[in-house]
Amino acid sequence: MISIKKAAALMLAAAMTAGLAACGKPAAKSEPNGLYDMTKNGEAIVSGIDTSAAGKAKQKDESDNARVFYEIFVGSFSDSDGDGTGDLKGIIKRLDYLNDGDAFSGKSLGVEGIWLTPIFTSSSYHKYNVDNYYEIDPKFGTQKDLEDLIKACHKRGIKIILDLVINHTGRDNEWFKNFNVAQKGGDIQDPYYNFYSYYREGEEYPVGRRFQKLLGIDVYYECNFDTSMPELNFDDEGVRKAVLDVAKYYLDLGVDGFRFDAAKYIYLGDIDKNVEFWNWYMGELRKIKPDIYTVAEVWDADSITDKYYDALNCFDFAVSQVNGLIAETAKAGDANRFTSYVERYLGRIDGLNEDAMIVPFISNHDMDRAAGYLTPASYNMQFAANLYILSPGSPFIYYGEEIGMRGSRGSANTDANRRLAMLWGDDDKVSDPEGTTYSKDSQADTSVKEQLALDDSLLTYYKRLIMIRAANPEIAKGEYKALKLSGTKAGGFVSTLNGSSVCVLHNPSNGTATIDLSTVSGAENFKKISAAIGQGSASLDGTKLTIEGRTSVVLR
């Protein structure tokens, strides 16, 4: 583990008093620096953060979608029954770890939303080939378990979204079986005859798409991802009604929204028709739930994702992964490039839909884990987190990121290596998914249990970082203005919400940055450091701001 720099440790320690227990003995302190009090379970309680600007509310307003989300690959997260597979009850068991209902308790991670990867019945471990949208996969639990999870999340102010895969189904889905029967029987009146995208032998082959022959007849169904994933035909009104009914069902059950898988494949290669579909679909869903939370996977350049924002928000792939702008900036890059990018992004999407916002992340279940290329030991991991969590919109954390879990596809060419079992460090029996080849020796030598007790752990860092964001609500939803700094890699922005402003400044370099705020347009009136987080410390003497390397500050 990397210790917080001594100067920062002393600054934090000075802000806290050592309370006395009822017996008169000093309260237990966190290791190794004694910065925080400990719970009776031996977990550090993050404190010393000015939360006055956030008011008295302990949870985010229900209608507010600009929140920190946490992606859970369900089968790898937490196992409640000892069968080795993560499940819904396992998530319920871990909710106090994720969010205990009080954004400023200092005891939980503090995430405000959860994205569950697919939970419906499926023949695969990943569940992206759905056999029945109305049935929870028995390995994960029951519908009652889902309902219990929804209620428990809402009690804590957590929004819960489901991964809804509607571009394709599984081959064992009744829809596909009925399509197969209708095609083989030549029954053009059958409502399932055109349910899936297909072409007949002798017709012009649709270039750039993949197809598989149906057994026994000269019909080829579209399957761009895998032969086990036949693709629906969205020109068919029955298909549109069917996928709308699925979403309605789960909204009625209480979920807050959806992550839409493979959103650009609805009409592969035809952006206009894709956008038309998503505008129609989202229009219908907003009639049911006006504050629905949705985000689409459109894995493409910003110039493409921008076109989808008319209908719904999209993940920002340009900032993610090893070559993304977050990683580039975290590795002693130029923070001005990052903040200018965010400002341009927000300018393009502003007003395109009523809930338009940026959705940054550094990795997910389809990518190599960030700790492999942004190592905690280098402090790149911590600073990358500063960049995207102290940003507007709705940042997404991938489970295990907060403890530095590793995992990569490697030469084995399997995504299972990116979806490894959460390292709880207790009696949880959750195990790696089938097909995993990732060496245990390559995995992080740590666990949640170990990191919860340490004031210098990556997990404690994430807890503190998310609390700083919650304590300064202007960051998530305010009007964003990038600062124009020259002659330095330090950069930042001002964000204003309801007449209140904060200034966030990042120093990604290894050296100290000194900034005269009086010379920076937009930053002249900030008088105090509300929060500082990073490898070093920060100070403000009049208008002279000093930020040590790999450190971020929030000014008021």
Side-chain angles (χ1 to χ4, degrees), residues 491-540:
F493 63 92
V494 172
S495 191
T496 303
L497 180 67
N498 299 326
S500 176
S501 298
V502 295
C503 176
V504 177
L505 283 154
H506 304 290
N507 178 13
S509 72
N510 293 310
T512 299
T514 301
I515 303 166
D516 185 348
L517 297 178
S518 68
T519 67
V520 181
S521 178
E524 308 95 333
N525 297 321
F526 292 95
K527 305 298 184 184
K528 71 172 185 176
I529 295 176
S530 177
I533 185 166
Q535 192 171 17
S537 61
S539 62
L540 181 59

Side-chain angles (χ1 to χ4, degrees), residues 198-338:
Y198 69 93
Y199 85 98
R200 293 188 179 280
E201 195 166 299
E203 295 177 349
E204 183 178 355
Y205 183 88
V207 178
R209 291 147 68 181
R210 294 178 57 198
F211 291 82
Q212 177 68 24
K213 192 174 187 293
L214 282 177
L215 188 64
I217 58 174
D218 294 331
V219 170
Y220 297 75
Y221 66 88
E222 187 171 2
C223 52
N224 292 299
F225 289 95
D226 188 87
T227 58
S228 67
M229 299 176 176
E231 305 206 10
L232 291 164
N233 171 23
F234 286 89
D235 284 333
D236 187 280
E237 289 301 318
V239 169
R240 292 196 173 204
K241 180 181 185 304
V243 296
L244 184 58
D245 286 347
V246 170
K248 285 180 177 178
Y249 181 84
Y250 287 100
L251 289 175
D252 289 343
L253 207 63
V255 303
D256 297 289
F258 307 99
R259 176 261 187 185
F260 295 117
D261 182 70
K264 74 175 187 177
Y265 285 82
I266 299 296
Y267 294 100
L268 182 58
D270 192 332
I271 295 173
D272 290 342
K273 289 191 73 172
N274 280 330
V275 172
E276 176 277 323
F277 167 78
W278 287 112
N279 268 311
W280 167 78
Y281 197 60
M282 287 303 304
E284 295 300 311
L285 296 184
R286 289 190 179 108
K287 291 177 185 176
I288 304 166
K289 185 175 177 60
D291 65 343
I292 187 172
Y293 185 104
T294 56
V295 60
E297 181 203 29
V298 179
W299 197 328
D300 218 317
D302 288 352
S303 58
I304 302 300
T305 59
D306 285 354
K307 297 178 181 181
Y308 287 80
Y309 262 91
D310 188 50
L312 74 175
N313 296 326
C314 298
F315 284 111
D316 185 1
F317 282 88
V319 299
S320 69
Q321 302 184 87
V322 64
N323 294 317
L325 191 53
I326 293 173
E328 175 193 309
T329 308
K331 296 176 179 179
D334 188 345
N336 293 286
R337 284 197 65 223
F338 179 75

Side-chain angles (χ1 to χ4, degrees), residues 450-507:
E450 292 168 347
Q451 292 201 26
L452 281 171
L454 301 174
D455 51 35
D456 67 347
S457 69
L458 184 61
L459 174 53
T460 300
Y461 191 96
Y462 266 70
K463 288 168 64 177
R464 181 174 174 80
L465 182 60
I466 294 170
M467 192 187 297
I468 289 172
R469 187 182 202 263
N472 297 278
E474 298 92 341
I475 294 174
K477 295 194 69 176
E479 182 181 356
Y480 186 102
K481 296 291 184 183
L483 298 174
K484 311 303 180 186
L485 277 70
S486 60
T488 178
K489 288 186 174 182
F493 63 92
V494 172
S495 191
T496 303
L497 180 67
N498 299 326
S500 176
S501 298
V502 295
C503 176
V504 177
L505 283 154
H506 304 290
N507 178 13

Side-chain angles (χ1 to χ4, degrees), residues 154-172:
H154 289 170
K155 183 178 180 181
R156 290 166 170 79
I158 304 171
K159 288 203 171 187
I160 181 169
I161 64 173
L162 303 183
D163 206 326
L164 193 55
V165 187
I166 59 172
N167 171 71
H168 51 266
T169 71
R171 281 178 54 91
D172 291 330

Side-chain angles (χ1 to χ4, degrees), residues 104-178:
F104 307 115
S105 71
K107 299 177 183 178
S108 67
L109 183 58
V111 297
E112 302 151 329
I114 293 173
W115 156 25
L116 302 183
T117 55
I119 58 174
F120 312 122
T121 52
S122 170
S123 59
S124 67
Y125 82 90
H126 53 70
K127 312 302 175 193
Y128 279 91
N129 51 328
V130 178
D131 291 339
N132 187 342
Y133 290 98
Y134 295 98
E135 183 176 278
I136 307 302
D137 195 290
K139 291 182 179 179
F140 293 165
T142 65
Q143 180 169 303
K144 183 180 184 306
D145 294 337
L146 176 60
E147 292 172 359
D148 290 345
L149 175 58
I150 293 168
K151 291 175 184 176
C153 283
H154 289 170
K155 183 178 180 181
R156 290 166 170 79
I158 304 171
K159 288 203 171 187
I160 181 169
I161 64 173
L162 303 183
D163 206 326
L164 193 55
V165 187
I166 59 172
N167 171 71
H168 51 266
T169 71
R171 281 178 54 91
D172 291 330
N173 193 295
E174 285 299 317
W175 299 350
F176 187 70
K177 291 179 179 179
N178 292 338

Side-chain angles (χ1 to χ4, degrees), residues 371 403-406 423 438 440-447 451:
I403 61 170
M405 279 181 61
R406 303 188 193 108
L423 303 174
Y438 197 76
K440 297 290 185 183
D441 294 335
S442 298
Q443 186 53 274
D445 183 20
T446 187
S447 69
Q451 292 201 26

